[in-house]
């Protein structure tokens, strides 16, 4: 019995000692987070890039920048954003724009579903605000209607087409200084390294922990009463640190302001975080595209809804599926005739997600009696073929420049300019 009592008290002392150590460690971590926030706010104030969308608090302008920046580098986005804001400066102008115009403004950015969702969202905003205004005006006995206004609550922003949790949080924090966390690739990299999160950040539990950390940190920022826009600037500081310092390869730890608080740096394990899955091996795809000319006009076709690069224009083309076909054989398969002359125009290599694509473009002439419908044999579906027959057109070079093309076919058009 005495032995049991002694063992019990020994265990109790050890348990409470461990609990005290754990509580001390938690207090240390809790004390570290406000320090991290303060350091990053100060660092951002001195090192933030002068980006055009940072000179405004217009939620529409910030929304446009956030959508453009998805999977696209900042230096690429800047001229697109400036041109967009010049031509479509308001939500209402986007809602009412011709689809061809928005595709042309987006031409070269890729992932065109983004811009179509933006227009859908703009139309929803204007329709909702118009209906709300009409109800309010009727109740007040007025006829005046309000202009379209971007919603200013997280739930309303999140409900818009094409906007997920990250984008809604970014817009609400940057435009309205709201306490909304963000978690993009840059922020994930910073958080996994600083807090030593070794699990795959895409796993459910690890992802939930990262969101929780992001929320905890921006909450600390919100308590900084000396800063005019603490939530906005803190979230941007996390993204900026990931973009400029805490980069995927060769991070600049020597100039990082938070190495003292970084688990990965302190343990010489920076390159181990984040623990992402290996990318799948790239798949090679090869296409033959044909520039068919007839009396100064060129044959092009518009891609239908529901396929990659929907609504954009392209030169008739066919995927070669790894077969060692020459241009004449590909043209016969596509047009059901063998062209008298095939001249090489250009070869374009580019990447889309996991595909490494080669497009070889050739110039051919249209034979007597050629019908436009013959350019549709390479369509991925019968619906696509019917649409292509309806949308294929002979257009002059000046008219082609008014259309929006996928990046590879835009380069083909540029090569035509050089040749003519």
């Amino acid at each position: 019995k005495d032995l049991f009592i002694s063992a019990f008290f020994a265990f109790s002392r050890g348990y409470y000692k461990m609990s005290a150590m754990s509580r001390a460690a938690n207090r240390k971590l809790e004390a570290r987070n406000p320090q991290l926030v303060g350091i990053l706010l100060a660092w951002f104030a001195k090192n933030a890039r002068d980006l055009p969308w940072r000179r405004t608090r217009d939620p529409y302008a910030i929304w446009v920048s956030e959508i453009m920046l998805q999977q696209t580098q900042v230096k690429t986005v800047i001229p697109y954003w400036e041109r967009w804001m010049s031509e479509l400066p308001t939500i209402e102008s986007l809602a009412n724009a011709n689809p061809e115009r928005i595709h042309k403004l987006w031409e070269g950015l890729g992932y065109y579903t983004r811009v179509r969702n933006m227009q859908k969202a703009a139309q929803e905003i204007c329709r909702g605000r118009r209906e709300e205004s009409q109800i309010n005006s009727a109740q007040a006995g007025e006829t005046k209607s309000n202009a379209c206004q971007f919603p200013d609550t997280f739930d309303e922003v999140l409900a818009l087409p094409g906007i997920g949790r990250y984008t809604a949080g970014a817009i609400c924090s940057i435009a309205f200084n709201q306490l909304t966390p963000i978690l993009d690739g840059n922020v994930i990299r910073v958080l996994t390294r600083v807090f030593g999160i070794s699990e795959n950040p895409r796993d459910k539990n690890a992802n939930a922990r990262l969101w929780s950390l992001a929320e905890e940190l921006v909450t600390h920022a919100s308590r900084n009463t000396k800063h005019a826009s603490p939530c906005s600037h803190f979230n941007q500081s996390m993204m900026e640190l990931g973009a400029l310092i805490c980069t995927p390869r060769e991070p600049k730890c020597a100039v990082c302001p938070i190495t003292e608080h970084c688990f990965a740096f302190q343990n010489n394990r920076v390159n181990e975080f984040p623990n992402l899955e290996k990318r799948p091996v790239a798949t090679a795809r090869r296409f033959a595209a044909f520039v068919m000319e007839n009396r100064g006009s060129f044959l092009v076709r518009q891609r239908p809804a529901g396929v990659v690069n929907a609504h954009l224009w392209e030169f008739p083309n066919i995927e070669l599926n790894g077969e060692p076909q020459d241009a004449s054989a590909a043209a016969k398969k596509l047009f059901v005739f063998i062209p008298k002359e095939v001249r090489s125009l250009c070869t374009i290599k580019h990447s889309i997600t996991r595909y490494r694509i080669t497009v070889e473009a050739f110039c051919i002439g249209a034979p007597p009696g050629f019908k436009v419908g013959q350019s549709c044999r390479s369509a991925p579906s019968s619906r696509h073929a019917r649409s292509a027959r309806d949308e294929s057109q002979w257009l002059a070079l000046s008219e082609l420049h008014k259309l929006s093309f996928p990046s590879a076919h835009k380069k083909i058009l540029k090569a035509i300019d050089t040749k003519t």
Side-chain angles (χ1 to χ4, degrees):
K1 183 178 179 180
D2 292 340
L3 208 66
F4 174 79
I5 293 172
S6 299
F8 173 78
F9 281 111
F11 172 79
S12 297
R13 285 193 297 272
Y15 174 79
Y16 284 114
K17 185 177 179 180
M18 289 176 64
S19 296
M21 291 172 62
S22 177
R23 288 194 297 272
N26 286 337
R27 283 196 298 271
K28 186 177 180 181
L29 286 174
E30 288 170 4
R32 178 180 68 166
N33 290 348
Q35 292 176 3
L36 272 172
V37 170
I39 293 169
L40 286 173
L41 283 173
W43 175 83
F44 184 73
K46 294 180 179 179
N47 297 279
R49 289 170 290 180
D50 181 21
L51 303 177
W53 47 85
R54 285 182 175 162
R55 303 171 200 153
T56 179
R57 284 294 171 265
D58 176 8
Y60 168 68
I62 292 166
W63 172 40
V64 173
S65 73
E66 286 296 329
I67 300 300
M68 285 186 172
L69 286 165
Q70 292 173 3
Q71 302 186 53
T72 311
Q73 293 182 338
V74 167
K75 64 181 180 181
T76 301
V77 167
I78 290 174
Y80 278 93
W81 184 89
E82 292 175 333
R83 184 166 56 249
W84 181 283
M85 294 306 300
S86 175
E87 297 201 24
L88 300 175
T90 65
I91 299 174
E92 194 164 13
S93 63
L94 168 57
N96 296 329
N98 184 291
E100 191 62 54
R101 187 181 182 194
I102 66 168
H103 282 113
K104 188 65 178 176
L105 285 170
W106 202 268
E107 185 182 45
L109 281 176
Y111 304 100
Y112 290 87
T113 302
R114 294 182 294 173
V115 73
R116 290 191 287 275
N117 279 333
M118 278 180 60
Q119 185 169 52
K120 287 179 187 176
Q123 290 167 346
E124 282 190 16
I125 291 169
C126 289
R127 184 168 56 249
R129 296 300 182 191
R130 197 174 297 119
E131 291 171 355
E132 181 183 341
S133 176
Q134 288 171 353
I135 292 171
N136 292 339
S137 297
Q139 291 174 345
E142 301 172 354
T143 57
K144 186 178 178 181
S145 63
N146 296 328
C148 301
Q149 291 183 333
F150 198 87
D152 59 3
T153 68
F154 177 83
D155 288 340
E156 285 181 299
V157 176
L158 183 62
L160 294 172
I163 293 185
R165 185 178 178 183
Y166 158 75
T167 304
I171 294 169
C172 289
S173 66
I174 296 170
F176 307 121
N177 193 42
Q178 293 178 6
L179 200 167
T180 50
I182 59 167
L183 196 66
D184 70 348
N186 285 322
V187 177
I188 286 172
R189 192 162 54 255
V190 171
L191 292 179
T192 55
R193 286 172 175 172
V194 169
F195 291 93
I197 298 173
S198 58
E199 297 84 6
N200 187 328
R202 296 192 181 96
D203 290 345
K204 184 178 178 180
N205 290 338
N207 192 257
R209 184 183 175 195
L210 288 166
W211 274 110
S212 179
L213 283 169
E215 184 170 14
E216 182 179 339
L217 290 168
V218 77
T219 299
H220 283 297
S222 71
R223 297 168 183 161
N224 188 327
T225 56
K226 296 180 180 180
H227 199 291
S229 303
C231 296
S232 169
H233 283 204
F234 174 73
N235 279 346
Q236 291 184 80
S237 76
M238 294 277 281
M239 292 187 284
E240 196 80 337
L241 190 77
L244 301 181
I245 305 295
C246 196
T247 51
R249 290 171 291 279
E250 299 182 3
K252 302 174 182 65
C253 296
V255 295
C256 178
I258 57 172
T259 49
E260 182 182 345
H261 301 283
C262 180
F263 173 90
F265 178 80
Q266 294 294 332
N267 291 276
N268 197 28
R269 295 174 58 189
V270 173
N271 292 325
E272 295 179 27
F273 302 92
N275 177 21
L276 297 171
E277 297 172 348
K278 291 184 178 179
R279 292 184 178 181
V281 178
T283 301
R285 299 178 68 181
R286 180 170 163 248
F287 292 80
F290 294 91
V291 177
M292 185 183 293
E293 184 178 3
N294 184 25
R295 298 178 182 178
S297 293
F298 299 86
L299 184 64
V300 290
R301 64 190 187 190
Q302 188 175 33
R303 295 179 65 82
V307 300
V308 175
N309 293 326
H311 307 295
L312 273 64
W313 293 79
E314 65 182 4
F315 295 95
N317 62 90
I318 185 170
E319 185 166 6
L320 302 179
N321 296 320
E323 300 173 16
Q325 296 181 14
D326 60 21
S328 294
K332 181 180 179 182
K333 190 172 183 179
L334 178 61
F335 298 113
V336 204
F337 73 84
I338 298 177
K340 291 182 179 180
E341 184 181 8
V342 177
R343 291 176 287 113
S344 177
L345 177 64
C346 61
T347 298
I348 296 154
K349 294 180 182 288
H350 68 123
S351 299
I352 300 178
T353 60
R354 63 184 183 88
Y355 298 107
R356 302 294 177 265
I357 298 172
T358 300
V359 181
E360 299 170 72
F362 303 93
C363 295
I364 61 175
F370 175 78
K371 296 180 180 179
V372 168
Q374 292 173 245
S375 71
C376 309
R377 290 175 58 86
S378 65
S381 67
S382 58
R383 180 174 62 84
H384 186 178
R386 288 194 299 273
S387 175
R389 276 194 289 275
D390 294 336
E391 300 298 339
S392 294
Q393 296 184 32
W394 291 99
L395 296 173
L397 193 57
S398 60
E399 294 174 301
L400 294 183
H401 283 285
K402 298 176 184 177
L403 304 178
S404 48
F405 289 85
S407 59
H409 290 257
K410 181 74 173 177
K411 292 176 182 177
I412 294 173
L413 180 58
K414 187 175 181 180
I416 297 171
D417 285 333
T418 304
K419 293 285 185 180
T420 54

